[in-house]
Amino acid sequence: MKTPAPRRTRHRRVGGGALAASVAAALLLTSCTAGEVAPPQPSATAATQAAEASTFTFGTSADPRTLDPALANDTESYRVTQQVLQGLVGVDPLTSGPAPLLAEEWEEKDSGRAYEFTLRNDVVFHDGEPFDATAVCANFDRWYNLPASARSGSSRLPFENVFKAFSDQPDVSLYRGCTATSDDTVELRLASRITGLVPALAAPAFAMSSPAALEAGAADEPSESEGGTAVSRYGRAPVGTGPFRFVSWEPGTVELAFFDGYWGERGDVDRVLFTTIANPDSRARALTSGRIDGYDFVSVDSAVGLARNGLQFLQRDPYSVLYLGLNEAFPGVDDVLFRQAVAHAIDKDSLIDGRFLEGTKPARHFIPEKLGVGTDAVEDYGYDVDRARELLEQSGYDGRELPFYYPRNVSRAYLPSPEKAYAELSRQLTAAGFNIRPVPVEWSEGYVDAVQASGDRAFHLLGWSGSYQDPDNFVGALFGSYSDEFAYEDPQLFSKINRARGLPDGEDRTEAYADISAQVSARLPAVPLAFPISALAMSARVTTYPVSPVMNEVFNRIDLADVEPRPAPSG
């Protein structure tokens, strides 16, 4: 049965304190003969007011790393690209489960080893090229054949997390090909079942790019640099099918404009400006002063002031995990007694109190509660300084300095104030006998690359934000294979994760991921710290914002109080 794509019914809602400015139209009378009246035209002032009214300015915590979603792995890159590009599968705004988007329906075949997708036939890319089955297969084949040079400098990319490998490891990869069986039908073939495939295709990394633009922008050749990150020309100017087209990217600012040929709902926003403001308190001041219309990752310190000024506070359901990474390549960290000592030394409740928003919970494992994976078998390392000291002595720790990397000048869903979180963790570990050496690294200067590569690092602070609903999005992405981030080698665990991702949905699969969580907790490649609450703040002129746990927040679904309602699309 065909599942139609959902259409939003528009309602005009103006909350208390919203700006109720209206734009007046004016008649411009010019010199003309008797009896002639010039046709009505908007004045320059009215046009300017209308443009400002339909502009949405969003304060981000960092510049994007790239605007090529296939090569991105960070929130701020995806925040921009999901406005410009779309995937076959969308996200249901109520359940966060998969929903039709560029594909109107799909069908599983051959016991999960193939899928047929039926595409919308009214879609074009922003460059005028048709969106069709050939374009879909061009994207899948591009992802599979990404050269190592394009992947270098990045942690495991989403394609590898889902399909296990690229074309240089064909025996490992689960991707077996894509065929355009007609203009609007695609068959995707797999080596074996990937139970979470359809939800995974809703992740922003699997958005469709114009094949012509990929070729013109030499997408697989990182020939330019942006903030120290190698990017291609395409990575600086993406072309998709989304509601907004790319206009420009300069340091600190990205500009988008509504695409007049968009197949879906127009919404109130005609122009989007992303402006980078690294400090959360500075973002709060920018919102209060009216410089921006909204921002993400509200800090505890800012929340009170925002409420006092009557600004909106929009909370997401928790769907990210903060962790303390342990690098087993550093001398001594490979001893499980040492890692157990770390776990017992951390008071998670004290870490959370006053540094994370209310509702943030301590994490015993890496899979959020929303996914319903039980925790009964997970090791509970209670806060116990004496036990930590005892284990540390048994491990043979000799008091050497332990480099602890943490990011500066950034906010993330899992870490709104990293400097404060580091300070508390460092205090707790020092109290248990660890000799901590702080290593602050600017986020914009390659923090993620630094902690996910081999190096002289004992500890690091990082987290993971889920982009689709499946436990493999967490334990598979973090621990599904060896990575330099943890230098953790566990073939048995890797095998369990590979098996679990192919099990049909049901009790056996849930139990398999519970067993995986138990093994991770016993061997401790990292210490889960918290499932943080993240929140956005909006000005009063924003009457509707599409809050999403998986951050599928596309701005044509924003309602602005000072923009006249537009008619719903026909058809």
Side-chain angles (χ1 to χ4, degrees):
M1 179 178 179
K2 185 174 180 179
T3 305
R7 171 171 290 171
R8 182 171 65 124
T9 301
R10 292 181 53 75
H11 301 280
R12 179 55 44 197
R13 289 175 287 179
V14 181
L19 299 178
S22 61
V23 179
L27 296 179
L28 179 63
L29 299 180
T30 59
S31 175
C32 52
T33 60
E36 290 181 338
V37 179
Q41 298 178 4
S43 69
T45 300
T48 300
Q49 289 175 336
E52 291 177 352
S54 61
T55 295
F56 180 73
T57 303
F58 191 93
T60 63
S61 69
D63 283 354
R65 291 164 57 84
T66 176
L67 297 183
D68 180 351
L71 299 178
N73 54 16
D74 67 297
T75 299
E76 300 302 357
S77 294
Y78 289 146
R79 195 191 302 280
V80 177
T81 63
Q82 67 184 354
Q83 315 298 331
V84 177
L85 302 101
Q86 300 171 306
L88 297 179
V89 181
V91 175
D92 186 290
L94 296 178
T95 68
S96 297
L101 193 57
L102 294 181
E104 293 186 311
E105 61 179 350
W106 48 83
E107 181 182 357
E108 180 183 307
K109 296 184 172 182
D110 192 18
S111 300
R113 289 189 292 270
Y115 281 84
E116 182 178 82
F117 294 89
T118 301
L119 311 179
R120 298 187 64 96
N121 58 15
D122 56 351
V123 181
V124 295
F125 289 103
H126 299 160
D127 58 3
E129 292 292 315
F131 169 76
D132 56 17
T134 300
V136 171
C137 287
N139 276 269
F140 273 98
D141 289 342
R142 182 236 171 175
W143 301 331
Y144 176 61
N145 290 293
L146 273 172
S149 58
R151 293 155 17 209
S152 64
S154 300
S155 58
R156 279 168 55 97
L157 294 172
F159 182 89
E160 185 178 3
N161 287 336
V162 174
F163 294 93
K164 292 183 58 178
F166 298 93
S167 60
D168 49 8
Q169 293 181 289
D171 294 338
V172 177
S173 181
L174 299 180
Y175 179 77
R176 287 293 180 267
C178 178
T179 302
T181 53
S182 73
D183 286 346
D184 59 0
T185 55
V186 167
E187 183 180 78
L188 189 66
R189 300 183 304 282
L190 308 172
S192 62
R193 177 195 294 273
I194 307 174
T195 301
L197 176 66
V198 170
L201 293 181
F206 294 104
M208 296 287 140
S209 294
S210 162
L214 289 170
E215 182 177 359
D220 297 343
E221 299 174 17
S223 58
E224 303 185 15
S225 179
E226 186 63 49
T229 299
V231 297
S232 67
R233 295 198 314 276
Y234 180 80
R236 287 193 49 82
V239 178
T241 64
F244 299 95
R245 59 179 176 81
F246 174 81
V247 175
S248 65
W249 178 15
E250 302 297 336
T253 305
V254 177
E255 180 178 354
L256 311 176
F258 185 78
F259 174 52
D260 289 329
Y262 180 54
W263 60 270
E265 180 180 11
R266 182 180 184 94
D268 286 351
V269 177
D270 284 339
R271 179 171 177 253
V272 177
L273 290 178
F274 293 100
T275 181
T276 301
I277 307 172
N279 183 276
D281 295 333
S282 297
R283 292 198 297 278
R285 288 192 294 271
L287 180 64
T288 303
S289 68
R291 178 185 164 198
I292 61 177
D293 297 306
Y295 76 92
D296 205 351
F297 310 139
V298 174
S299 69
V300 172
D301 294 338
S302 301
V304 174
L306 292 169
R308 186 182 300 120
N309 283 282
L311 296 166
Q312 301 178 74
F313 191 78
L314 308 177
Q315 183 173 298
R316 298 187 185 94
D317 290 336
Y319 203 61
S320 61
V321 60
L322 171 68
Y323 60 81
L324 177 66
L326 308 176
N327 177 20
E328 295 189 28
F330 191 88
V333 182
D334 60 336
D335 191 321
V336 71
L337 296 177
F338 178 97
R339 302 197 299 276
Q340 290 173 353
V342 172
H344 280 296
I346 296 174
D347 183 347
K348 297 176 185 178
D349 289 322
S350 179
L351 170 66
I352 290 168
D353 187 30
R355 297 174 185 85
F356 292 83
L357 296 176
E358 186 175 350
T360 295
K361 294 182 178 180
R364 291 176 57 198
H365 65 152
F366 288 85
I367 300 177
E369 291 181 357
K370 182 179 179 68
L371 296 174
V373 175
T375 61
D376 291 345
V378 170
E379 187 75 28
D380 184 13
Y381 297 95
Y383 173 55
D384 188 335
V385 175
D386 291 337
R387 180 61 176 153
R389 289 173 178 155
E390 179 184 337
L391 288 166
L392 193 59
E393 182 178 357
Q394 291 176 12
S395 75
Y397 173 60
D398 58 6
R400 73 176 63 196
E401 282 190 335
L402 300 167
F404 188 154
Y405 280 53
Y406 67 95
R408 296 187 68 250
N409 291 320
V410 74
S411 299
R412 283 293 178 263
Y414 50 78
L415 190 57
S417 301
E419 294 91 345
K420 293 180 180 180
Y422 162 76
E424 176 61 15
L425 286 169
S426 177
R427 183 194 67 79
Q428 293 180 8
L429 291 168
T430 299
F434 296 89
N435 182 10
I436 301 298
R437 176 166 66 86
V439 185
V441 179
E442 293 289 328
W443 181 271
S444 61
E445 294 178 2
Y447 177 78
V448 173
D449 293 342
V451 301
Q452 292 186 336
S454 59
D456 185 32
R457 176 187 73 253
F459 305 135
H460 66 276
L461 200 55
L462 201 59
W464 182 263
S465 294
S467 55
Y468 62 93
Q469 289 199 130
D470 192 274
D472 195 62
N473 189 209
F474 286 85
V475 292
L478 290 170
F479 309 117
S481 65
Y482 175 87
S483 71
D484 288 330
E485 179 179 0
F486 309 112
Y488 174 62
E489 187 69 60
D490 190 344
Q492 184 189 47
L493 178 67
F494 304 158
S495 177
K496 285 183 177 181
I497 291 174
N498 286 335
R499 175 181 175 272
R501 63 162 47 105
L503 291 174
D505 277 325
E507 185 176 343
D508 287 348
R509 192 168 193 259
T510 299
E511 290 179 355
Y513 278 105
D515 179 55
I516 288 165
S517 287
Q519 184 159 327
V520 171
S521 72
R523 301 187 182 181
L524 279 171
V527 179
L529 300 174
F531 293 122
I533 293 288
S534 69
L536 308 104
M538 295 288 151
S539 71
R541 72 184 292 252
V542 180
T543 61
T544 303
Y545 182 91
V547 181
S548 167
V550 295
M551 300 181 71
N552 182 261
E553 298 166 354
V554 185
F555 292 170
N556 67 320
R557 296 181 61 83
I558 290 174
D559 287 339
L560 300 175
D562 46 4
V563 174
E564 290 299 315
R566 296 187 174 96
S570 60

